[in-house]
């Protein structure tokens, strides 16, 4: 079983709607969580990272982290068709470049 | 800003031959470099992690004999896929990081084996 689990595997939301993506790590040594977005045929680009309990907002994107349960979620409000992509959650247990990726959530935003 | 240049972007090699890919970090010191592979329909798997002044650590199912990596300084790393076969095809990514920053990824090298 993967150490980083993402749900749902795929998600369809209407344009202007809210998309909510979940991610949980089973590795208790994890300290850092990262959310990446990968458009088809491209490399992943970091959206947001979170290290502390609580919430972090940047524009239409909000990330929550509960360190006790090692659960993070990404919420995209006012979703746009350009947000359609594979969203990858990754976790790291130190300051190195080693990330463990989840299986991803494929988001489709319908116009 | 911080960037990672990865090349080549795409490569096609014959089954049983080898190919090398390189990553150049610009604007920061790549103290830690990780190489990943995204096989078709799969997520990213870590191949190995290289940290300056430490031995390169390979993940299970990946070996130095198959994927030799070089990380000679704080701005450059390379990885070779030796004796590539069909199962080695996919998108290879290098990710580099300076302590306490995000991981910057190159644009990837897409390997096709024919």
């Amino acid at each position: 079983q993967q150490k980083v689990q993402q749900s749902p595997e795929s998600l369809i939301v209407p344009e202007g709607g809210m998309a909510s993506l979940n991610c949980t790590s089973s590795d208790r040594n994890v300290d850092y969580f990262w959310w990446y977005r990968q458009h088809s045929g491209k490399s992943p680009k970091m959206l947001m990272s979170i290290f502390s309990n609580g919430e972090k907002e940047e524009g239409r994107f909000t990330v929550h982290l509960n360190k006790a349960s090692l659960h993070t979620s990404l919420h995209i409000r006012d979703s746009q068709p350009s947000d359609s992509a594979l969203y990858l959650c990754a976790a790291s247990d130190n300051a190195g470049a080693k990330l463990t990726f989840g299986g991803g959530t494929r988001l489709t935003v319908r116009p | 800003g911080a960037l990672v240049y990865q090349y080549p972007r795409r490569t096609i090699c014959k089954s049983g031959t080898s190919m090398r890919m390189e990553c150049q970090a610009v604007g920061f010191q790549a103290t830690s470099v990780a190489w990943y592979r995204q096989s078709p329909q799969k997520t990213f798997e870590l191949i190995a992690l290289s940290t300056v002044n430490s031995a390169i650590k390979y993940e299970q199912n990946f070996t130095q004999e198959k994927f030799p990596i070089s990380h000679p300084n704080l701005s450059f790393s390379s990885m070779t896929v030796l004796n590539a076969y069909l199962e080695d095809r996919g998108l290879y990514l290098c990710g580099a990081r300076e302590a306490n920053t995000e991981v910057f990824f190159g644009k990837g090298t897409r390997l096709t084996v024919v």
Side-chain angles (χ1 to χ4, degrees):
Chain A
Q1 187 179 3
Q2 281 188 319
K3 284 188 174 179
V4 177
Q5 295 281 335
Q6 286 187 248
S7 64
E9 285 188 14
S10 62
L11 179 64
I12 301 174
V13 300
E15 184 174 356
M18 170 78 85
S20 295
L21 293 70
N22 297 293
C23 172
T24 304
S25 171
S26 60
D27 183 352
R28 296 229 57 95
N29 294 317
V30 161
D31 280 333
Y32 303 79
F33 285 90
W34 318 78
W35 284 94
Y36 285 84
R37 178 165 71 183
Q38 183 183 22
H39 285 107
S40 183
K42 308 278 185 171
S43 64
K45 296 251 184 322
M46 194 192 78
L47 277 177
M48 295 181 73
S49 59
I50 189 162
F51 315 128
S52 307
N53 262 330
E55 178 180 300
K56 185 175 171 183
E57 182 177 333
E58 290 181 8
R60 298 184 293 110
F61 299 87
T62 303
V63 170
H64 294 268
L65 175 61
N66 180 327
K67 292 193 88 168
S69 60
L70 296 177
H71 177 262
T72 178
S73 56
L74 171 68
H75 305 272
I76 308 172
R77 62 176 171 79
D78 189 23
S79 297
Q80 302 297 308
S82 57
D83 294 326
S84 298
L86 179 67
Y87 287 78
L88 295 162
C89 170
S92 170
D93 63 359
N94 56 38
K98 177 182 174 179
L99 301 178
T100 301
F101 284 88
T105 293
R106 186 159 296 282
L107 173 66
T108 303
V109 180
R110 295 245 190 263
Chain B
L3 287 171
V4 173
Y5 291 104
Q6 185 173 351
Y7 37 87
R9 294 290 308 279
R10 297 177 192 278
T11 186
I12 300 173
C13 68
K14 285 188 174 180
S15 183
T17 64
S18 303
M19 68 82 52
R20 172 181 151 115
M21 55 194 82
E22 301 179 344
C23 271
Q24 185 89 32
V26 176
F28 70 105
Q29 294 186 324
T31 54
S32 180
V33 176
W35 286 90
Y36 298 85
R37 178 173 72 189
Q38 186 181 39
S39 300
Q41 308 306 319
K42 290 188 177 179
T43 190
F44 286 94
E45 295 178 277
L46 177 67
I47 296 170
L49 176 68
S50 173
T51 304
V52 169
N53 298 325
S54 295
I56 298 172
K57 293 181 184 175
Y58 285 83
E59 293 293 293
Q60 197 173 10
N61 301 324
F62 297 98
T63 65
Q64 183 181 6
E65 289 71 32
K66 173 72 173 176
F67 299 97
I69 289 169
S70 172
H71 186 188
N73 56 51
L74 293 173
S75 63
F76 181 82
S77 179
S78 67
M79 184 178 76
T80 302
V81 181
L82 294 174
N83 299 319
Y85 288 100
L86 196 59
E87 60 265 26
D88 295 318
R89 72 192 195 279
L91 178 67
Y92 289 80
L93 272 188
C94 71
R97 186 175 184 184
E98 191 171 6
N100 299 320
T101 67
E102 67 177 275
V103 177
F104 296 98
F105 285 101
K107 290 189 184 294
T109 297
R110 190 165 294 282
L111 172 63
T112 301
V113 181
V114 296

